Amino acid sequence: MPDRRQDRAIPPSQAASLSLARRFPAKVHAAIQKALADPALRQQLLDRGAEPVPQSSAAFAQFVRAEYERWGTLVKRSGASVD
């Protein structure tokens, strides 16, 4: 029977990718916060009907979860479906 332990090992290239993936969201978040602090960009977003709300990643994740629950409940109650 072949030894399957090697099949489960994470190659060094993937291990590096996993490490970078944990740091990447923080960099994206910082760049977005910096962009939203620009009054010209903020005005462009407002002119297009978007209200920029700078917030932490945790607060945004909580918002998304709450919206998922809110809209998911409404869609289930409505009986809507994708055909």
Side-chain angles (χ1 to χ4, degrees):
M1 180 175 239
D3 183 2
R4 300 270 184 217
R5 285 179 290 182
Q6 287 185 338
D7 293 349
R8 291 187 295 258
I10 298 175
S13 60
Q14 286 182 347
S17 296
L18 292 172
S19 174
L20 291 173
R22 284 190 286 272
R23 288 182 274 165
F24 185 71
K27 289 182 180 184
V28 171
H29 177 74
I32 291 170
Q33 296 304 310
K34 183 178 178 182
L36 290 177
D38 178 355
L41 175 63
R42 186 172 180 79
Q43 190 58 51
Q44 286 179 8
L45 292 169
L46 289 168
D47 291 346
R48 289 169 176 78
E51 184 178 348
V53 180
Q55 55 187 282
S56 70
S57 297
F60 180 69
Q62 183 180 3
F63 169 77
V64 169
R65 280 191 299 274
E67 288 294 289
Y68 180 83
E69 289 295 321
R70 174 183 169 201
W71 292 107
T73 299
L74 290 172
V75 169
K76 287 176 187 172
R77 284 184 189 167
S78 76
S81 65
V82 178
D83 294 326

